[in-house]
Amino acid sequence: MTKPVRVALLGCGTVGAEVVRLLHDQAADLTARIGAPIELAGIAVRRLGRDRGALPVGPAVFTTDPLGLVKRDDVDVVVEVVGGIEPARTWLVEALRAGKSVVTANKALLAEDGASLHDAAAEGGADLYYEAAVAGAIPLLRPLRESLHGDSVNRVTGIVNGTTNYILSAMDATGAGFAEALEQATELGYAEADPTADVEGFDAAAKGAILASLAFHTRVGAADVHREGITEVTAADVASAKAMGCTIKLLCIASRGPDAAGVDSVSVRVHPAMIPRTHPLAGVGDAFNAVFVEARAAGQLMFYGRGAGGAPTASAVLGDLVAVARNRLAGVRAASESAYAALPIRPMGEAVTRYHISLDVADRAGVLAAVAGVFAGHGVSIATVRQSGRGEDAELVVVTHRASDAALAATVAELRDLEHVRAIVSVLRVEGEP
Ligand code: NDP
Ligand code: HSE
């Protein structure tokens, strides 16, 4: 029998516990597929006494010394499912520099400082795999980093956060409140340890950075992504979307194209948007994720599946584990990071889309004309206007044709100061064909 591949597992929470279960339940198949058994050298956790339910391992395997575990001579591969920037970065850099392959689900770290991990992997001649970091169980990163390497990807659009999709789907379908839906998503193991990362769009922005880096052969970090979360999406916005035949989703849109000066560049943005109910992403409910990839020769490809949760994420972790274990046995290493294009980041102000703006205005003669004049003054063309009077005031809903984000921002700033505009109730982007 070939010598076992020895694995240090860092973290045994929602994802880690499922990794342990799958390693046990599928041991025979994994051994056959890899050509050697996988053995758990140790599991690092924060609290030894924590109740982890029924796990097929004894207490002796647990440690609270992750760095010590990573450094052990009998460890070949490190699987990190803890999360966060530090101390995870220290552990993984240590492992990679020592030539130990790493499998991680840590999108926050990859988006914050993927460069340190890729550099350490190159230095140590080790594999760095992270399929679980984006869109849970969905095989998406491998297609981008391998299958599509003969093509030219120009756009990636999708729903990449399960928690916010769960919340928005519940608000749309049942009228559930934001807090109630978030609580359910947390109980189901979808939300991050701090759900702010989900609801404020940080998690989706990290995934957007990882997707854009792979798709456009350019190092894109979390700071390069324009990010807006869903905390300001109200029941009234959801109702307004419904009235337009739309639903609201948190979208991640990464594209490659010329900037205002004609220079090839990359733009990545995460924000809530109205999309028509006929759009394929509109039907993506619950904690599911779906991602469209548009490539020059391949055309449109759609990836769909469970984007969060212990078992789906563990599936992606194990797929990576099989790949790195096979590579070690064969004495080879996967292709290293591809960032040769090094494209500049296009400013958000140049992003072009349609907008849905809801205003509270005084119901007086000339107000509509004044509002329309502000849009016209910034070159933003109005597609539709709906006004509902309610005594002294009226609700005005304006939907625009395509305009730049900079033009829209200037329009909204001027509207705020316009006499008889009581409040800008909401500004939402509208994506997809009308
Ligand atoms: P959990 O919070 O459920 O688990 C985290 C684990 O890490 C726990 O076992 C915890 O120990 C351990 N841990 C935390 N800090 C330390 C430390 N300093 N030293 C040692 N161990 C530590 O997280 P998840 O399983 O949900 O997520 C793990 C990673 O996977 C994150 O990067 C997350 O972004 C990513 N991910 C999660 C998905 C999901 O659906 N949950 C989907 C895709 C990716 P203890 O148990 O003792 O508290
Ligand atoms: N919190 C993340 C989500 C987990 O809800 O999508 C999967 O990355």
Side-chain angles (χ1 to χ4, degrees):
M1 168 70 79
T2 315
K3 192 158 98 44
V5 176
R6 303 265 299 162
V7 174
L9 177 64
L10 311 183
C12 191
T14 304
V15 180
E18 288 302 329
V19 169
V20 174
R21 288 189 190 101
L22 283 178
L23 277 175
H24 175 265
D25 295 352
Q26 300 182 171
D29 286 322
L30 292 172
T31 303
R33 289 171 200 170
I34 293 166
I38 296 274
E39 267 182 24
L40 269 177
I43 304 175
V45 293
R46 196 172 28 189
R47 296 162 290 173
L48 285 178
R50 182 180 171 190
D51 178 9
R52 299 175 198 282
L55 281 184
V57 286
V61 80
F62 287 94
T63 171
T64 51
D65 179 13
L67 190 58
L69 177 59
V70 165
K71 285 181 170 175
R72 265 168 50 180
D73 288 340
D74 64 337
V75 166
D76 304 307
V77 177
V78 172
V79 173
E80 186 264 319
V81 282
V82 170
I85 311 303
E86 284 293 354
R89 172 170 45 199
T90 301
W91 305 332
L92 300 192
V93 166
E94 168 71 32
L96 291 162
R97 283 198 184 136
K100 298 175 187 187
S101 308
V102 162
V103 173
T104 178
N106 192 338
K107 56 258 172 163
L109 174 56
L110 285 155
E112 176 72 23
D113 191 14
S116 289
L117 300 188
H118 286 293
D119 292 348
E123 203 181 308
D127 274 337
L128 171 62
Y129 274 57
Y130 45 91
E131 184 64 66
V134 182
I138 307 172
L140 174 61
L141 302 193
R142 202 80 59 83
L144 281 173
R145 92 186 214 176
E146 292 176 10
S147 322
L148 286 163
H149 257 208
D151 209 331
S152 180
V153 175
N154 46 48
R155 193 175 164 96
V156 180
T157 313
I159 295 169
V160 293
N161 182 268
T163 302
T164 47
N165 202 49
Y166 186 93
I167 293 170
L168 291 172
S169 301
M171 286 172 80
D172 184 88
T174 65
F178 179 88
E180 181 195 345
L182 171 59
E183 202 175 309
Q184 287 164 3
T186 304
E187 271 167 26
L188 290 164
Y190 302 148
E192 296 300 304
D194 175 3
T196 311
D198 295 297
V199 298
E200 294 292 2
F202 290 102
D203 178 80
K207 291 165 177 169
I210 295 168
L211 287 171
S213 299
L214 291 172
F216 309 132
H217 306 272
T218 292
R219 280 185 174 173
V220 180
D224 298 319
V225 181
H226 174 87
R227 175 199 54 79
E228 293 168 36
I230 65 162
T231 48
E232 283 172 24
V233 176
T234 61
D237 292 330
V238 173
S240 201
K242 273 187 177 168
M244 279 177 62
C246 289
T247 186
I248 298 178
K249 295 289 185 190
L250 183 71
L251 296 187
C252 170
I253 301 171
S255 65
R256 176 178 182 169
D259 66 10
V263 176
D264 195 12
S265 59
V266 166
S267 152
V268 193
R269 52 192 165 108
V270 165
H271 52 71
M274 291 185 177
I275 53 172
R277 285 189 180 270
T278 49
H279 192 285
L281 290 178
V284 177
D286 202 72
F288 280 84
N289 285 187
V291 178
F292 279 109
V293 176
E294 293 167 47
R296 185 184 295 169
Q300 271 202 345
L301 304 162
M302 186 170 176
F303 299 82
Y304 171 81
R306 291 198 180 275
T313 309
S315 163
V317 169
L318 256 71
D320 281 355
L321 183 53
V322 168
V324 302
R326 279 186 185 145
N327 286 351
R328 289 191 80 78
L329 291 181
V332 298
R333 187 184 164 228
S336 52
E337 180 195 22
S338 172
Y340 70 91
L343 299 171
I345 304 298
R346 201 157 63 246
M348 181 59 188
E350 292 183 19
V352 172
T353 187
R354 294 181 297 136
Y355 299 86
H356 173 282
I357 301 116
S358 171
L359 310 164
D360 266 352
V361 297
D363 199 355
R364 307 248 173 92
V367 171
L368 189 52
V371 167
V374 173
F375 279 86
H378 293 281
V380 180
S381 171
I382 292 175
T384 61
V385 180
R386 197 183 71 226
Q387 179 172 332
S388 341
R390 41 188 185 207
E392 290 281 286
D393 293 346
E395 183 199 26
L396 205 56
V397 175
V398 177
V399 180
T400 74
H401 287 296
R402 284 164 63 78
S404 74
D405 217 70
L408 197 278
T411 306
V412 171
E414 193 175 334
L415 285 172
R416 270 187 222 290
D417 293 338
L418 198 68
E419 202 191 351
H420 303 315
V421 170
R422 312 249 197 256
I424 312 277
V425 180
S426 77
V427 179
L428 277 164
R429 296 178 182 83
V430 184
E431 298 286 341
E433 293 309 308

